[in-house]
């Protein structure tokens, strides 16, 4: 009796067919999981490479911005010092003798920089403050220089943020 002549009951044929389908399905399922796993690993590797490229580009931005704005701020302070040295040329002792700075001016000046109200005016505000016109100019030049330096710093921070954002968003 040969194997070809054996008649198998219907339930055995279905069992063999179901087993073969299960084995084939398991193989396909495992292969699909392997493919998806490999795709995920490739995606993670690509993201890591992208992060490295972005980080290198951001380092360039940091360096360029720092060099640019540190030099600008140094230039602003150097200009302020130059202007301060010229105060005696523009404001002489004769000017200081002719134009007295009174206490009211000092109160208003201090109030403007502190943000506090100067209070009501008094007769004592008309008295000399003992501050020369040259000293007022020196303080004003210093304050203007500091404000210009802060402006450059704020502009630098804005440019730095914009360039970092653009670098991060650029498709690398």
């Amino acid at each position: 009796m040969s194997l070809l002549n054996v008649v198998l009951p219907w339930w055995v044929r279905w069992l063999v067919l179901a087993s073969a389908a299960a084995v084939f399905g398991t193989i396909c399922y495992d292969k699909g999981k392997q493919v998806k796993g490999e795709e995920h690993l490739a995606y993670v590797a690509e993201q890591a490479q992208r992060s490295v490229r972005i980080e290198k580009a951001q380092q360039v931005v940091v360096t360029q911005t720092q060099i640019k704005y540190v030099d600008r701020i140094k230039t602003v302070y150097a200009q302020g010092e130059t202007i301060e040295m010229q105060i005696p040329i523009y404001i002489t002792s004769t000017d200081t003798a002719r134009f007295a700075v009174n206490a009211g001016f000092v109160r208003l000046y201090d109030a403007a920089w502190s943000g506090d109200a100067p209070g009501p005016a008094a007769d004592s505000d008309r008295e000399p403050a003992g501050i020369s016109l040259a000293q007022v100019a020196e303080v004003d030049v210093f304050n203007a220089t500091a404000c210009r330096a802060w402006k450059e710093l704020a502009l630098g921070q804005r440019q730095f943020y914009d360039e970092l954002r653009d670098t991060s968003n650029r498709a690398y």
Side-chain angles (χ1 to χ4, degrees):
M1 182 172 192
S2 79
L3 195 55
L4 294 174
N5 293 334
V6 176
V7 177
L8 297 174
W10 66 269
W11 59 271
V12 174
R13 285 186 238 154
W14 278 106
L15 185 64
V16 170
L17 183 61
S19 297
V23 169
F24 181 72
T26 303
I27 291 170
C28 290
Y29 177 73
D30 287 343
K31 183 64 175 168
K33 282 179 29 181
Q34 180 182 2
V35 168
K36 288 297 180 186
E38 289 171 357
E39 287 175 1
H40 178 70
L41 290 176
Y43 172 77
V44 169
E46 178 187 339
Q47 290 301 315
Q49 290 174 349
R50 184 174 187 264
S51 294
V52 168
R53 287 191 302 267
I54 288 173
E55 184 179 336
K56 286 180 181 179
Q58 286 177 340
Q59 287 174 352
V60 170
V61 169
V62 168
T63 304
Q64 289 173 344
T65 305
Q66 185 176 6
I67 290 170
K68 179 179 180 180
Y69 282 94
V70 165
D71 289 344
R72 278 184 164 179
I73 291 170
K74 284 181 183 178
T75 301
V76 167
Y77 278 111
Q79 290 169 341
E81 288 174 5
T82 301
I83 293 169
E84 231 176 280
M85 286 189 273
Q86 295 175 354
I87 290 174
I89 298 169
Y90 289 96
I91 302 172
T92 63
S93 57
T94 307
D95 296 328
T96 299
R98 276 192 313 164
F99 303 103
V101 177
N102 64 15
F105 175 85
V106 174
R107 280 182 53 186
L108 285 175
Y109 190 84
D110 291 343
W113 280 99
S114 69
D116 297 333
D123 289 336
S124 62
D125 289 338
R126 307 290 169 258
E127 296 175 11
I131 298 173
S132 73
L133 203 54
Q135 288 173 317
V136 171
E138 185 177 331
V139 168
D140 198 44
V141 167
F142 175 80
N143 288 339
T145 300
C147 286
R148 288 179 52 228
W150 278 101
K151 174 187 166 193
E152 290 297 328
L153 185 61
L155 291 174
Q157 290 291 336
R158 182 187 306 162
Q159 180 182 354
F160 176 67
Y161 171 77
D162 289 343
E163 288 182 12
L164 273 183
R165 183 192 62 223
D166 293 345
T167 300
S168 298
N169 292 337
R170 206 173 294 133
Y172 278 98

